[in-house]
């Protein structure tokens, strides 16, 4: 018999590891030790080079054959920022809350799942963990590399649960069954620099950029669907290369982000922005990076498995949602049905990020029910 894993203790040890994205090293050592102790075979590898890498990735499995249930997550965290009540990488329990960067996003969720897997000593089929150190950053050397590694070895789960913090007001109220896509774009309107007293010798790009922004702001992308809210285009920055009061700048720039539903593809939206910008100000340049396409997991067994486990432990009937940000489900959906479910997300990325100790233990119980049902144990 192995010793039961305390999710609060494991979450604390993971939080104590500095793992600002991209993560590698000590935080993976802690996870590997915990998994090896409950019978998992652990594989680790590095992917990518600076400035986006190296990123550490981990695949761990226990058992063999089907059914194969996968759990996905990330050990990297966003920078903590200044102004914490206590050190963000020294976990501290205050008033029933475990504080520390990554407590909910998502070291706490990983700890709860490992503890749940430890509760299930024997089971048919396969349990696996697909864990990256590159979700909060560019996400180019993490889950994508793990999927390639798995494909080379013919590893393909039947369903995947991502332990992102999806709950809103209380644990269990929201399960994500899909995610909107996201694309970032950078717009440059060229001009000709000169003295403000001689505008006829210059070409001021700022009014032209204003026309571009107005035309883009007037776009109506869609009204949403039954599963997704409406797509939205938001400007995130506007700038010129000079702050001098007597210079007409040589260029003006803006950046924007579009969160889009499954009525669109990323490339189609990039082309729409390019056409709109060119019509408003000929010569405008648009660069783009598509971070992920929208996806929706169709109704299937994983819906019922997750919903029933949540209701059994909390009495809550969860909402099935596609709202909010993106997750690595945008990559994993290529393998099998995927849903996201985890802790309340109110403090993720904030100062004094914290998780309820009670929620951690309840999440462990929910995950254990999901495992037993999915594997037929």
């Amino acid at each position: 018999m192995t010793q039961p894993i305390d999710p609060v203790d494991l979450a604390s040890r993971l939080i104590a590891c500095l793992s600002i994205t991209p993560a590698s090293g000590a935080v993976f050592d802690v996870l590997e030790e915990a998994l090896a102790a409950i019978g998992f075979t652990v594989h680790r590898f590095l992917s990518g080079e600076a400035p986006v890498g190296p990123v550490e990735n981990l695949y761990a499995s226990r058992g063999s054959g089907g059914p194969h249930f996968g759990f996905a997550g990330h050990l990297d965290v966003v920078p903590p920022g200044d102004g914490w009540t206590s050190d963000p990488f020294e976990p501290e329990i205050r008033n029933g809350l475990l504080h520390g960067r990554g407590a909910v996003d998502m070291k706490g969720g990983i700890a709860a799942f490992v503890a749940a897997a430890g509760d299930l000593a024997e089971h048919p089929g396969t349990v696996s963990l697909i864990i990256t150190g590159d979700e909060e950053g560019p996400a180019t050397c993490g889950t994508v590399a793990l999927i390639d590694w798995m494909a080379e070895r013919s590893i393909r789960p039947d369903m995947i649960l991502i332990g992102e913090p999806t709950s809103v007001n209380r644990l269990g109220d929201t399960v994500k069954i899909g995610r909107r896509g996201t694309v970032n774009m950078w717009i440059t309107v060229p001009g000709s620099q000169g003295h403000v007293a001689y505008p006829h010798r210059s070409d001021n790009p700022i009014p032209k950029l204003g026309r571009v922004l107005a035309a883009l702001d007037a776009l109506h992308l869609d009204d949403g669907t039954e599963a997704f809210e409406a797509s939205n285009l938001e400007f995130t920055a506007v700038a010129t290369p000079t702050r001098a009061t007597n210079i007409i700048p040589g260029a003006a720039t803006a950046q924007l982000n579009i969160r889009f539903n499954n009525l669109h593809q990323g490339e189609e939206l990039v082309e729409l922005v390019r056409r709109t910008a060119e019509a408003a100000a000929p010569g405008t340049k648009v660069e783009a990076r598509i971070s992920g396409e929208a996806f929706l997991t169709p109704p299937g067994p994983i819906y019922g498995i997750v919903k029933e486990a949540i209701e059994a432990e909390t009495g809550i009937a969860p909402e099935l949602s596609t709202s909010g940000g993106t997750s690595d489900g945008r990559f994993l959906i290529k393998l099998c049905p995927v849903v996201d479910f985890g802790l309340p997300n109110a403090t993720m990325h904030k100062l004094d990020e914290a998780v309820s100790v009670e929620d951690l233990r309840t999440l462990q119980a929910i995950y254990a029910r999901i495992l037993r049902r999915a594997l037929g144990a």
Side-chain angles (χ1 to χ4, degrees):
M1 290 288 292
T2 59
Q3 284 291 106
I5 292 175
D6 180 356
V8 180
D9 173 69
L10 180 54
S12 297
R13 288 189 286 125
L14 292 171
I15 291 168
C17 299
L18 183 67
S19 60
I20 297 170
T21 193
S24 62
V27 70
F28 283 88
D29 294 340
V30 171
L31 180 58
E32 178 178 8
E33 179 184 14
L35 289 170
I38 55 174
F40 280 81
T41 300
V42 179
H43 303 273
R44 292 165 59 178
F45 65 93
L46 295 174
S47 177
E49 299 177 354
V52 295
V55 171
E56 187 149 14
N57 296 303
L58 178 150
Y59 176 84
S61 65
R62 186 178 67 190
S64 61
H68 182 167
F69 183 88
F71 176 87
H74 63 91
L75 285 170
D76 60 320
V77 298
V78 297
D82 298 324
W84 283 64
T85 302
S86 56
D87 189 315
F89 296 105
E90 290 185 7
E92 182 177 302
I93 296 176
R94 301 193 301 272
N95 300 318
L97 299 177
L98 172 62
H99 291 263
R101 177 54 88 222
V104 297
D105 191 16
M106 56 170 286
K107 293 177 177 180
I110 291 174
F113 185 81
V114 174
D119 290 342
L120 195 64
E122 296 182 1
H123 57 81
T126 304
V127 180
S128 65
L129 287 92
I130 305 161
I131 306 295
T132 182
D134 177 36
E135 194 272 348
E136 299 290 7
T140 55
C141 304
T143 297
V144 172
L146 273 161
I147 290 172
D148 290 342
W149 185 92
M150 292 163 64
E152 291 169 0
R153 291 156 181 80
S154 300
I155 298 170
R156 195 180 188 95
D158 298 307
M159 61 181 69
I160 292 174
L161 174 68
I162 304 174
E164 288 283 2
T166 62
S167 300
V168 179
N169 296 312
R170 57 178 294 194
L171 177 64
D173 63 7
T174 307
V175 174
K176 298 294 177 72
I177 58 171
R179 298 280 188 157
R180 293 191 296 172
T182 179
V183 55
N184 291 293
M185 299 189 217
W186 295 266
I187 297 170
T188 302
V189 177
S192 177
Q193 182 174 312
H195 197 293
V196 296
Y198 305 95
H200 58 287
R201 297 176 180 172
S202 305
D203 179 15
N204 195 329
I206 295 177
K208 293 189 286 186
L209 178 61
R211 293 196 294 273
V212 170
L213 299 184
L216 292 173
D217 190 52
L219 290 174
H220 178 74
L221 298 177
D222 58 72
D223 294 312
T225 70
E226 184 177 346
F228 285 94
E229 61 191 12
S231 303
N232 62 297
L233 182 157
E234 302 297 334
F235 302 109
T236 54
V238 176
T240 61
T242 177
R243 294 294 183 269
T245 59
N246 60 352
I247 295 177
I248 291 172
T253 62
Q255 66 185 35
L256 62 86
N257 176 274
I258 301 178
R259 296 298 169 104
F260 57 94
N261 57 41
N262 59 351
L263 295 175
H264 306 278
Q265 294 289 315
E267 285 293 350
E268 295 171 2
L269 291 169
V270 173
E271 184 56 31
L272 174 62
V273 169
R274 285 188 173 128
R275 289 198 312 268
T276 304
E278 177 65 21
T284 298
K285 298 183 175 68
V286 177
E287 298 179 5
R289 184 169 73 87
I290 300 167
S291 298
E293 301 288 349
F295 74 91
L296 181 67
T297 295
I302 193 168
Y303 277 33
I305 290 170
V306 174
K307 285 179 64 178
E308 289 170 15
I310 292 170
E311 290 187 49
E313 293 295 335
T314 68
I316 298 173
E319 175 189 359
L320 302 182
S321 171
T322 59
S323 64
T326 190
S327 79
D328 277 357
R330 65 193 190 271
F331 308 124
L332 294 164
I333 192 64
K334 299 172 184 176
L335 298 179
C336 62
V338 174
V339 300
D340 296 47
F341 170 66
L343 293 162
N345 55 26
T347 63
M348 66 178 181
H349 293 202
K350 291 188 174 184
L351 300 182
D352 290 340
E353 180 179 353
V355 60
S356 159
V357 168
E358 181 181 353
D359 279 351
L360 269 180
R361 301 196 188 283
T362 302
L363 185 63
Q364 173 188 355
I366 294 170
Y367 283 165
R369 278 185 180 272
I370 290 171
L371 273 175
R372 286 194 294 270
R373 174 75 186 278
L375 298 172

